[in-house]
Amino acid sequence: MALKIKIGLLGLGTVGGGVHKLLSGRKEAIARQIGSELEIEKILVRDIAKARGLDIPPQLLTTDYREVVNHPEIDIVVELMGGIEPAYQYIRAALQNKKSVVTANKDVIADYGVRLHRLAAEYEADLCYEASVAGGIPVLRGLVQGLASDEIYKIMGIVNGTTNYIMTQMTEAGLDYQTALKQAQVLGFAEPDPTNDVEGLDAARKMAILASLAFSAGIKMETVKVKGISQVTAEDIQAVKEFGYVIKLIGVAKQENGKVEVSVEPTLLRDSHPLATVKNEFNAIYLYGHAVGQTMFYGPGAGEMPTATAVVSDIMEVARNKKLGVGGKGLWQPTAQPVMKTADEIEAKYFLRVVVKDEIGVLNKITEVFSGHQISIENILQKLEKNQNQANIILVTHRLIQSNFEQALLELQKIPGLVDIRSCYKVED
Ligand SMILES: NC(=O)c1ccc[n+]([C@@H]2O[C@H](COP(=O)([O-])OP(=O)(O)OC[C@H]3O[C@@H](n4cnc5c(N)ncnc54)[C@H](OP(=O)(O)O)[C@@H]3O)[C@@H](O)[C@H]2O)c1
């Protein structure tokens, strides 16, 4: 008879509901694949009386988490509540009871992933979180298993669907930021309070998780440089088009000579770059490896069923491990404290848009400031602003040292003919 593996769910909302549907709808197929039957034994919710549109015997539901994490027959605890507390404490309690944990919680994993991996190893339990980054895209497994033989040295990711939707609408439909955001909220792609998404925090957590796995180092959120999209204007979108670029919120993680940099910021990409073709709420992760070259993972980054596929695949991996007798023998541990690059070590190209008085010599002064900081210009364009005796100067630099650029920006502000530095974006060619 097939081994029965019992599951406890913490949370039965969007993703939890999807997991329930997938586990019941594909019950036989899953059992055939893993040689074990998966059965939901107990489910933690906040409100037992809530209508959920799911066929669930009422005795499965509880509001007491201990009935899940202490349940003697439950093998796998699946955390789908969201937020850091109490989810983190419940995950800890489950691991300390030697139960393997599957979670979709990027907040908990970004902040406590290293600690939880150590706890899981101590209590011989598995810890899986494929759904925490780019929902329906199996990128963590792709990174850790599919590309295990290679050294991944750079990751570029569109890992937040809300901001990608907004940037796509600004670029293609010519909407301004506020209108695109409202449209995203109406369609359910943005929360009523969109701060976490539009200010880049959600993407930063996902990049920290990706970089930690790719570079075997526990990357802390506070070391990720984060800038959101709320300051991107319709004029910027038009200006970058002049040079054949689009603006997207891009997460970048790089490792060079043993040093790491991780950032999330509005970034210019060539309009022919594969990531520039990733539109609306879709996500993609572009990986650079010494052996594989460049490879891209693409798909839905969220949603009930896409996210549920990642969660259920994790559950199946844990079940398989248990059947093979290798449960809790996960080998991944961060091997080293990451050494983060300083601004003197980070190299990048930048796009700059400044407004100047239409006077002789201002452009010269700008180029003088740049050359004083070893910055050379790859492309420059000057456009007169009608009736205002002002000009827009837009330029793209060659690769430069970030600290030099920061100094140059401070000096530019002192040029008498300079009216305003309107925008400044990193460029990834
Ligand atoms: N939604 C997505 O597309 C998506 C994509 C990728 C990752 N994720 C991640 O998946 C996780 C779940 O997201 P979701 O969208 O499914 O959330 P959700 O719809 O808000 O569901 C949360 C569930 O957890 C329960 N819950 C929350 N706090 C609780 C508490 N203190 N005690 C008991 N039960 C509690 C809720 O109970 P009630 O039902 O009784 O209120 C609800 O069933 C989050 O970590 C999220 O970041 C979501």
Side-chain angles (χ1 to χ4, degrees):
M1 211 184 81
L3 177 73
K4 208 170 242 183
I5 293 184
K6 297 206 172 174
I7 294 165
L9 294 185
L10 300 172
L12 189 62
T14 305
V15 182
V19 167
H20 183 274
K21 285 178 196 162
L22 209 49
L23 284 176
S24 48
R26 289 187 45 77
K27 195 175 177 64
E28 287 80 26
I30 288 172
R32 268 198 308 279
Q33 279 193 57
I34 59 174
S36 315
E37 237 180 75
L38 300 177
E39 189 176 286
I40 296 177
E41 181 70 21
K42 212 75 197 166
I43 307 173
L44 175 77
V45 291
R46 240 179 330 218
D47 176 7
I48 286 188
K50 199 191 239 181
R52 299 177 191 272
L54 296 166
D55 183 16
I56 293 179
Q59 69 275 15
L60 252 57
L61 299 179
T62 177
T63 53
D64 182 352
Y65 81 99
R66 290 166 299 192
E67 288 188 30
V68 180
V69 301
N70 295 342
H71 195 297
E73 287 174 30
I74 286 177
D75 303 289
I76 307 172
V77 170
V78 181
E79 186 278 308
L80 302 168
M81 298 159 52
I84 291 197
E85 292 296 354
Y88 173 55
Q89 293 309 329
Y90 295 178
I91 292 173
R92 282 183 60 89
L95 291 172
Q96 284 166 333
N97 282 338
K98 290 181 163 274
K99 297 184 191 308
S100 289
V101 169
V102 170
T103 176
N105 195 325
K106 62 192 162 288
D107 302 320
V108 165
I109 295 299
D111 284 3
Y112 297 109
V114 171
R115 283 193 217 178
L116 288 176
H117 269 290
R118 294 210 174 107
L119 200 63
E122 187 183 338
Y123 287 91
E124 297 191 354
D126 286 330
L127 172 68
C128 298
Y129 41 88
E130 181 64 69
S132 66
V133 178
I137 310 175
V139 63
L140 300 191
R141 200 158 281 123
L143 198 57
V144 172
Q145 293 179 4
L147 294 165
S149 59
D150 199 0
E151 183 187 355
I152 300 301
Y153 62 89
K154 181 173 174 183
I155 304 169
M156 280 171 63
I158 295 175
V159 288
N160 180 271
T162 308
T163 46
N164 202 45
Y165 178 84
I166 293 171
M167 295 312 304
T168 305
Q169 291 303 312
M170 289 178 74
T171 305
E172 300 198 344
L175 302 186
D176 62 34
Y177 170 75
Q178 284 301 340
T179 312
L181 170 60
K182 280 206 186 79
Q183 192 166 296
Q185 284 170 323
V186 169
L187 292 171
F189 295 143
E191 305 272 338
D193 175 1
T195 313
N196 252 324
D197 292 317
V198 299
E199 295 308 339
L201 301 169
D202 172 87
R205 292 200 171 94
K206 292 167 181 167
M207 289 308 297
I209 296 171
L210 279 168
S212 296
L213 290 177
F215 308 145
S216 280
I219 306 289
K220 297 205 165 80
M221 253 299 277
E222 55 269 28
T223 63
V224 181
K225 178 189 172 199
V226 191
K227 186 177 159 195
I229 61 162
S230 57
Q231 304 303 315
V232 178
T233 64
E235 292 77 43
D236 292 338
I237 302 271
Q238 280 310 317
V240 307
K241 277 186 186 169
E242 302 272 357
F243 290 156
Y245 288 114
V246 295
I247 309 179
K248 296 224 169 243
L249 187 74
I250 301 287
V252 177
K254 276 196 238 177
Q255 188 177 42
E256 277 169 319
N257 307 321
K259 293 198 171 176
V260 175
E261 66 178 272
V262 188
S263 62
V264 169
E265 57 192 303
T267 302
L268 269 58
L269 298 173
R270 283 256 165 244
D271 53 15
S272 54
H273 190 287
L275 284 176
T277 65
V278 178
K279 306 271 169 81
N280 291 321
E281 75 278 18
F282 281 88
N283 283 197
I285 297 94
Y286 201 81
L287 302 174
Y288 297 72
H290 292 296
V292 75
Q294 296 169 25
T295 180
M296 185 161 103
F297 291 72
Y298 168 85
E304 179 191 20
M305 296 316 292
T307 310
T309 60
V311 173
V312 174
S313 297
D314 275 352
I315 295 172
M316 288 168 71
E317 178 173 326
V318 174
R320 236 182 250 119
N321 287 349
K322 188 176 166 63
K323 186 158 172 91
L324 296 173
V326 294
K329 305 270 189 295
L331 295 176
W332 189 88
Q333 287 290 333
T335 51
Q337 279 297 312
V339 182
M340 304 305 288
K341 284 190 195 172
T342 63
D344 292 333
E345 296 168 313
I346 294 177
E347 284 185 28
K349 279 173 72 164
Y350 279 93
F351 168 95
L352 191 67
R353 182 163 75 92
V354 295
V355 177
V356 297
K357 289 185 187 150
D358 185 26
E359 293 171 356
I360 292 170
V362 183
L363 186 56
N364 263 352
K365 288 198 185 102
I366 292 175
T367 52
E368 264 171 35
V369 168
F370 275 0
S371 58
H373 290 281
Q374 289 85 48
I375 297 168
S376 60
I377 294 170
E378 181 186 285
N379 210 344
I380 186 162
L381 193 69
Q382 180 166 351
K383 283 194 150 186
L384 217 55
E385 286 198 340
K386 281 190 189 117
N387 307 328
Q388 289 182 33
N389 295 326
Q390 288 184 353
N392 248 295
I393 294 177
I394 57 177
L395 61 88
V396 175
T397 68
H398 280 293
R399 286 188 82 73
L400 50 71
I401 303 285
Q402 192 177 300
S403 56
N404 286 351
F405 189 55
E406 287 164 3
Q407 288 296 321
L409 287 182
L410 291 176
E411 268 181 47
L412 282 186
Q413 287 166 15
K414 295 181 196 149
I415 293 176
L418 189 126
V419 178
D420 191 20
I421 298 179
R422 283 286 152 84
S423 49
C424 173
Y425 299 111
K426 194 161 82 172
V427 177
E428 288 282 346
D429 278 326

